[in-house]
Amino acid sequence: GLAHEEASETLAPAGCRKDWSPTRQRSWRRERQAGWAGVEVTLFSSPALTAVGLRKAFGPLVVLDDIDLEVPPGSVFSLLGPNGCGKTTTVQILSTLIPADAGQVYVAGHDLGREPNLVRAAIGVTGQFSAVDNLLSGHENLILMADLHHLDRREGRRRAAELLERFDLADAAKKPAATYSGGMRRRLDLAMTLVGDPRIIFLDEPTTGLDPRSRRSTWQIIADLVAGGVTIFLTTQHLE
């Protein structure tokens, strides 16, 4: 039975792409045998992210060496480690910002190397340092992101108002971002990431520089996002 199972894993029947990861192929086969026909079912039951043999070096310095990852959809995956251990490099590779030297990666069902634009359309990224424009108000920052996502004027304004309310920034919406506290800036940064309604969000040390109250607020926002079906991949130095 085991020999047969191992042999069957090498097959790629009609509808099951050969360039899919082994995990995704197994998921597809289970769904097919169960009679599930919808593409949406496949997306939600397959891993949100898989990486096999991920490697990255900068000259003689090897930062990532044969890293394997699998992140279930609608979960929080936390990469814990000290400064310089490769956390940010991992996020940069998985979010298409820099290439890996070796390895195979699938994000939201898309091959990172072959389909980077489809990966970018499915993800959001909040870096270690805020991407907020200090010269703009909170509302204007969100409208700018809506324009970058090619939302029409009406939808962009609706989305901005919704996120300002959701992240408790409505009262400060018209104030310059330069006047925001650290916690407010982080909430605005996360809101900007959500304008495009991503299925997977990368957060690189989201609580860096925040006081304890703001950290708790950030963790609660992350918990709420996951409860809504979003997959969170974050890096941190904290064991909270």
Side-chain angles (χ1 to χ4, degrees):
L2 179 60
H4 174 74
E5 182 178 346
E6 289 178 347
S8 68
E9 290 300 319
T10 64
L11 302 178
C16 181
R17 288 169 41 182
K18 293 182 180 180
D19 61 343
W20 283 351
S21 68
T23 301
R24 191 179 181 202
Q25 289 192 27
R26 286 194 295 270
S27 176
W28 183 91
R29 290 188 186 91
R30 286 195 297 269
E31 291 165 6
R32 189 186 191 197
Q33 291 169 0
W36 301 339
V39 173
E40 293 181 355
V41 174
T42 301
L43 289 175
F44 280 103
S45 59
S46 300
L49 184 154
T50 59
V52 179
L54 195 62
R55 189 178 191 280
K56 182 67 178 180
F58 296 98
L61 178 63
V62 177
V63 179
L64 304 176
D65 190 11
D66 198 27
I67 302 297
D68 295 343
L69 300 169
E70 181 169 308
V71 182
S75 67
V76 177
F77 184 93
S78 180
L79 203 58
L80 178 68
N83 287 335
C85 71
K87 302 189 303 297
T88 296
T89 299
T90 302
V91 169
Q92 289 176 333
I93 291 173
L94 298 178
S95 59
T96 78
L97 295 176
I98 63 174
D101 295 336
Q104 190 172 33
V105 180
Y106 289 85
V107 179
H110 304 297
D111 187 310
L112 186 72
R114 298 180 182 180
E115 304 169 305
N117 288 336
L118 293 178
V119 170
R120 294 182 190 117
I123 67 173
V125 182
T126 298
Q128 185 173 349
F129 303 102
S130 175
V132 171
D133 189 327
N134 287 327
L135 299 179
L136 302 179
S137 68
H139 180 263
E140 289 169 337
N141 270 283
L142 292 172
I143 291 297
L144 175 62
M145 291 302 298
D147 290 342
L148 292 174
H149 283 283
H150 305 292
L151 300 183
D152 62 48
R153 182 180 177 87
R154 181 176 180 180
E155 175 61 17
R157 290 182 176 277
R158 185 200 66 78
R159 187 72 173 144
E162 174 189 314
L163 289 168
L164 287 166
E165 189 67 34
R166 179 178 179 182
F167 285 87
D168 196 24
L169 293 170
D171 291 342
K174 301 299 183 181
K175 296 179 181 179
T179 65
Y180 286 14
S181 67
M184 292 171 69
R185 290 172 61 83
R186 178 52 75 181
R187 295 203 303 275
L188 178 58
D189 214 7
L190 285 170
M192 291 166 63
T193 299
L194 290 177
V195 169
D197 198 23
R199 289 153 47 197
I200 301 172
I201 297 178
F202 294 96
L203 304 177
D204 191 10
E205 301 198 21
T207 60
T208 295
L210 299 183
D211 59 62
R213 180 178 179 182
S214 295
R215 284 207 302 272
R216 287 194 297 270
S217 175
T218 299
W219 293 134
Q220 185 58 55
I221 289 171
I222 290 171
D224 292 343
L225 289 171
V226 172
V230 176
T231 302
I232 301 292
F233 186 108
L234 65 85
T235 71
T236 184
Q237 300 179 45
H238 301 285
L239 284 172
E240 296 170 293

